[in-house]
Amino acid sequence: MLKGLTQAGLVPFPSLAEFVDHAAKYGFEAIDYDAKELYNWVKQEGVVQIKAILSERKVVIGAISLPVEWQASEDDFRYSIVKLASYAATAADLGCTRCCTYILPSTDYNPAHFMAVATRRLRACTQILNRFGISLGVEFVGPHHYRTRWKHPFIWTIAETLDFIEAIGEPNVGLLFDSYHWYTNEATIEDILALRAEQIVHVHLNDARNVPISKVLDNDRLYPGEGVIDLAGFLKALHQIGYRGVVAQEVLTVERPKGPNENLLQRSADGFAKVFAALDIRK
């Protein structure tokens, strides 16, 4: 498995090159990046230059975010999907094969109608992504406070998300599997072992405070190895089913992280080293 970073839990870097440089310096092999920002950097610097930076630092683009407003109005969706092919082509040119989005666990929309709409919209997105060899990872969101934040309950479990993915019906869609949401669902190692590696597109890694699970907040995450989640067991189970993709840190916090980034990156690297040492594998 490749150790990866998002910019969550870090002070945002002013350029893609600086993010890549620092990721490599602290032993990370992949980065997740905003699709629109990646597109803009390639337009500014050129694909050859960006590829050279990635190659020199031995870092890959693990995943891009889905730059489509599929949970908003129909007008917003239609407007935002227009440039998806351009963003996907840019990512593919840089060797990226993963794109990610999330489902909120409750909604103010009529849930039956929203399910039909969401299925249609994500099917359209996956069909475009598939033209460029990119898979879509769909993330369920587990924290309890989001399950009642909006009027109607929606999707927040592994099983529900897999059924949603089956309804989308495209071969290049699977799970974005996040340790935080696995934990807040009170899912088990056996739940992971029941999956197949090809059902998982991408993985996020983070940790949780020692509070009742019903009180765990989505934007109050800890760096890997600093909380109570059995991250070694989580990763070992993923490894056992054959997952060999990126495992990217995603530490969402209430307040913007305070630098310097070197301290935050060292904290991240130490957390990954602790978890992977307990796992007793390197890849």
Side-chain angles (χ1 to χ4, degrees):
M1 290 184 276
L2 299 180
K3 299 175 183 177
L5 279 177
T6 72
Q7 293 201 70
L10 304 174
V11 178
F13 287 93
S15 73
L16 173 63
E18 289 188 51
F19 186 26
V20 172
D21 185 61
H22 281 78
K25 181 178 178 181
Y26 287 87
F28 291 94
E29 304 154 289
I31 61 166
D32 290 3
Y33 213 69
D34 180 83
K36 296 178 184 178
E37 289 187 20
L38 185 64
Y39 176 81
N40 289 334
W41 278 114
V42 169
K43 282 190 68 176
Q44 179 177 319
E45 303 290 340
V47 68
V48 174
Q49 175 67 13
I50 299 297
K51 287 178 76 171
I53 291 170
L54 292 167
S55 177
E56 182 180 345
R57 301 292 187 268
K58 295 182 173 59
V59 171
V60 300
I61 305 294
I64 55 170
S65 55
L66 180 65
V68 177
E69 298 293 335
W70 66 269
Q71 301 189 74
S73 70
E74 187 68 17
D75 285 345
D76 288 339
F77 167 70
R78 291 182 179 274
Y79 177 79
S80 61
I81 199 173
V82 169
K83 292 199 72 174
L84 178 57
S86 297
Y87 297 139
T90 297
D93 283 344
L94 296 174
C96 178
T97 61
R98 300 290 187 263
C99 180
C100 294
T101 190
Y102 59 89
I103 315 166
L104 290 171
S106 59
T107 179
D108 283 336
Y109 296 111
N110 176 300
H113 183 214
F114 184 56
M115 174 62 78
V117 169
T119 301
R120 168 177 57 82
R121 290 175 178 178
L122 285 181
R123 183 180 296 130
C125 292
T126 57
Q127 288 171 346
I128 292 170
L129 293 170
N130 197 37
R131 287 161 43 194
F132 301 94
I134 296 177
S135 297
L136 178 67
V138 179
E139 180 182 42
F140 57 93
V141 174
H144 291 222
H145 66 110
Y146 274 160
R147 301 179 190 182
T148 55
R149 181 167 179 176
W150 295 277
K151 188 175 180 180
H152 303 289
F154 198 52
I155 289 174
W156 65 71
T157 70
I158 298 171
E160 291 166 348
T161 310
L162 289 174
D163 282 341
F164 181 38
I165 288 168
E166 185 175 355
I168 293 169
E170 296 296 326
N172 60 319
V173 59
L175 292 169
L176 164 53
F177 206 62
D178 188 303
S179 60
Y180 208 75
H181 303 313
W182 172 74
Y183 174 72
T184 51
N185 266 286
E186 298 185 74
T188 65
I189 297 298
E190 288 69 29
D191 291 320
I192 300 175
L193 296 176
L195 297 171
R196 303 186 308 277
E198 59 267 26
Q199 291 177 293
I200 301 173
V201 169
H202 199 59
V203 172
H204 282 165
L205 197 70
N206 35 61
D207 220 329
R209 298 187 186 279
N210 187 15
V211 299
I213 289 179
S214 63
K215 303 298 182 183
V216 174
L217 301 178
D218 190 60
N219 61 346
D220 191 26
R221 308 186 192 190
L222 300 177
Y223 290 80
E226 296 184 1
V228 296
I229 301 178
D230 179 14
L231 295 180
F234 175 81
L235 292 177
K236 187 173 183 178
L238 289 172
H239 190 270
Q240 187 172 334
I241 66 171
Y243 179 78
R244 298 294 185 272
V246 174
V247 176
Q249 172 182 293
E250 188 194 43
V251 181
L252 303 178
T253 55
V254 177
E255 296 182 356
R256 181 171 175 166
K258 296 178 175 61
N261 255 335
E262 284 73 15
N263 292 348
L264 299 174
L265 284 160
Q266 188 62 60
R267 187 175 174 185
S268 303
D270 290 345
F272 266 71
K274 177 181 178 181
V275 172
F276 273 74
L279 177 59
D280 196 30
I281 61 169
R282 290 184 177 273
K283 295 292 181 182

